[in-house]
Amino acid sequence: MELLLQQLFNGLTLGSVYILVAIGLTLVFGILHVPNFAHGALYLIGGYLTLMAMKGLGVHYFVAIIISMISVALIAILMERLVFNPLRNAPAIHDKIAAIGMVLFFDALVSLIWGNDYQRMITPYGDSVTIFGIATSYQRILVIVVAVVVVILLQLFLKKTMIGASIIAMAQNREGAFLVGINANAVAMMTFAISGALAAIAASISSPINLVFPAMGHIVILKAFVVVIIGGMGSVPGAIIGGLILGITESLGATYISNDYKDMIAFLLLIIIMTVRPKGLFAKGVY
Amino acid sequence: MSKVLNKRNGIIAVLILSLLFPLAFSDNKYVLYIMTLAFIYIIAIYGMNILAGYTGQLSLAHAGFFAIGAYSVGVLTTKAGLNFWLALLLAVLITMGIGFALGIIALRTKEHFFAIYTLIAGYLIYLLIYKWEGLTGGVRGLIGIPIPNAIGPIKFESPIAMYYLVLLFLLLSIFVTVRIVYSLTGRTYNAIRNSEELAQTLGINTKINKLVSFVISVSFAGLAGGLYASLVRFIGPEIAGTTMVFTFLMYLIVGGIGTLAGPIIGTLLFIWLEQYLQSFQEHKMLIFGPILTLIVIFYPRGIVGAIQSLMGYFRTRKKESSKSYKTNSESTDMKSREV
């Protein structure tokens, strides 16, 4: 029983990170109908910027996260302006290829600037702690707390503010949004900025557990795709449910099936789901 | 002048060049080896071109199938002790079989979902190869894959012999591609690429056509993988990785997706660029990545597409200046043939 609880908790930590990455991906998909293959690159840069801000500037962990969020949001806006905006009327295959070009570029850039070594991110929350018989660390608790707070703030933003409402409106009906005078460019830039900032937070809170290295974006983006497809492309609640399903499945699978094959579980899950439901579990059938 | 420089003579010239190439570099094994490797990649990329360029379905599992071909040859020759030729044939058949099974499921998804599905299927193939140590040697890979067995008096010990062998397969692949592209099947694929709904309205069974295109595409990858295994003689799981498929895609896009000469031009350009940038090897993507992005934005049909539209432009200008009443229907017809 204790082992099960322990694994559920670990799954929750894993899932929290997946949720933050996947929400960014799903928001962008909702607006532009583009799966942003370069989202993993934003995650990668986010992790490194936090680490470098802490090491180079010597600022506190939370300050470093904020610096990283702002920088990655700006990079994401640039990405939208320079790459996705010119391609908005191109055939569906093009934006994916352009995104792959950016992935290759950012991977090379990171390894050029910061090297290929695995680096540890040491935070003030590394101590371990035992709650209700579950051995964990403050960092893992922090991951869950941050994810919950961010998701609640994001929901408030999307539901209660005008800018948030315009993002939802454009995701629901593009032409309708234009008719009521929503500025498509502003919404697209805003969405990319949010998506980048979320990727930066996710990387910053998971890096103290998982190390920082140039390939860290690859596997995360693949798993975020799994989450988004489970939850239905473009749906924020779907991404939350999908993230939890994936995190917990992986964590339980690693314990009860095989630790070696734990990455495979996620992808097999997706293959099975897409085999049965080609558009994902909770797809609304809009796209 | 223009009579000498027509397409047929161009093709003959390239063919003669490729046949004479080993004679010029007969003492430089390295150059021959790089060229042979490039030809193998071109075969795989032709497969990618049939599916992504002509049928419009971007499969990111292509490197996975390349690896399946390579590992089939590797396992069948080193572990089962089969003759190379039999192993190569089986490798292509195995790749096609797996491609058929995956294609049935994967092609139920469309556009973005298809790209994501195949990306993840490709990664799964990589993970399987990486983890299945008993069969594939895991991260250490397979070592000591034999060179092709001699056919009568023809032996394949020298790099020149390997070069001609691979060239033969390359010409065969090009021949098959040309036959497909100019056939009714090719036109059908184009119709699917341009609009799947419209193709269905015309009575085309898009499901079967996409599946056949997918299987043809992976068979090229399997063949290329099998040849790769016996040329390099060592294979590791990284040949199934995402970097590999992104590299293939880069060669195809920069050369010209949906064009017949694109795979050749893109691959040769990059392979030789990489040789000159060897000191820069680790950071080459710093330049290549943005090139890929820029090409897709500004020249979506790559170098070949850009040259074609340039030639079309001059042709129409020439006609206008000679005040011919012939409209530019001829040049648009050339373009629609996607040469």
Side-chain angles (χ1 to χ4, degrees), chain A residues 16-53:
Chain A
S16 301
V17 176
Y18 295 154
I19 288 171
L20 292 182
V21 182
I23 288 180
L25 207 59
T26 215
L27 279 177
V28 165
F29 186 85
I31 295 294
L32 296 182
H33 291 195
V34 164
N36 183 4
F37 279 51
H39 197 64
L42 298 175
Y43 177 88
L44 166 69
I45 300 167
Y48 269 95
L49 284 179
T50 306
L51 179 66
M52 291 308 146

Side-chain angles (χ1 to χ4, degrees), chain B residues 49-62:
Chain B
N49 199 17
I50 289 178
L51 189 65
Y54 291 102
T55 323
Q57 312 292 317
L58 179 63
S59 162
L60 295 174
H62 209 65

Side-chain angles (χ1 to χ4, degrees), chain A residues 55-182:
Chain A
K55 270 190 174 171
L57 306 175
V59 295
H60 187 266
Y61 179 49
F62 288 129
V63 182
I65 293 183
I66 289 170
I67 294 175
S68 160
M69 274 170 66
I70 294 170
S71 324
V72 175
L74 289 176
I75 294 173
I77 291 176
L78 272 182
M79 206 183 247
E80 196 276 331
R81 281 292 93 188
L82 297 178
V83 180
F84 288 107
N85 192 45
L87 283 173
R88 66 193 179 283
N89 294 324
I93 211 169
H94 289 178
D95 42 50
K96 291 189 272 289
I97 296 166
I100 288 171
M102 281 185 287
V103 171
L104 298 174
F105 169 72
F106 282 120
D107 281 3
L109 186 69
V110 163
S111 75
L112 176 74
I113 300 178
W114 292 303
N116 286 326
D117 301 330
Y118 284 62
Q119 302 196 44
R120 281 189 63 193
M121 187 190 279
I122 297 157
T123 66
Y125 309 103
D127 299 332
S128 49
V129 63
T130 310
I131 304 169
F132 306 125
I134 300 170
T136 178
S137 69
Y138 286 113
Q139 184 65 39
R140 285 180 182 274
I141 298 171
L142 183 74
V143 168
I144 297 175
V145 173
V146 168
V148 170
V149 171
V150 168
V151 166
I152 290 173
L153 284 179
L154 189 75
Q155 282 295 339
L156 285 176
F157 170 76
L158 289 176
K159 296 269 149 72
K160 302 285 179 197
T161 67
M162 203 59 207
I163 310 171
S166 61
I167 291 180
I168 301 239
M170 201 162 137
Q172 282 172 347
N173 187 333
R174 248 183 121 75
E175 282 74 26
F178 296 158
L179 280 178
V180 296
I182 288 171

Side-chain angles (χ1 to χ4, degrees), chain A residues 33 94 96 98 116 260 275, chain B residues 105 108 112 131 253 282 293 300:
Chain A
H33 291 195
H94 289 178
K96 291 189 272 289
N116 286 326
D260 271 355
T275 307
Chain B
I105 307 164
R108 294 180 54 196
H112 313 308
K131 301 280 186 193
I253 298 292
E282 207 192 331
T293 308

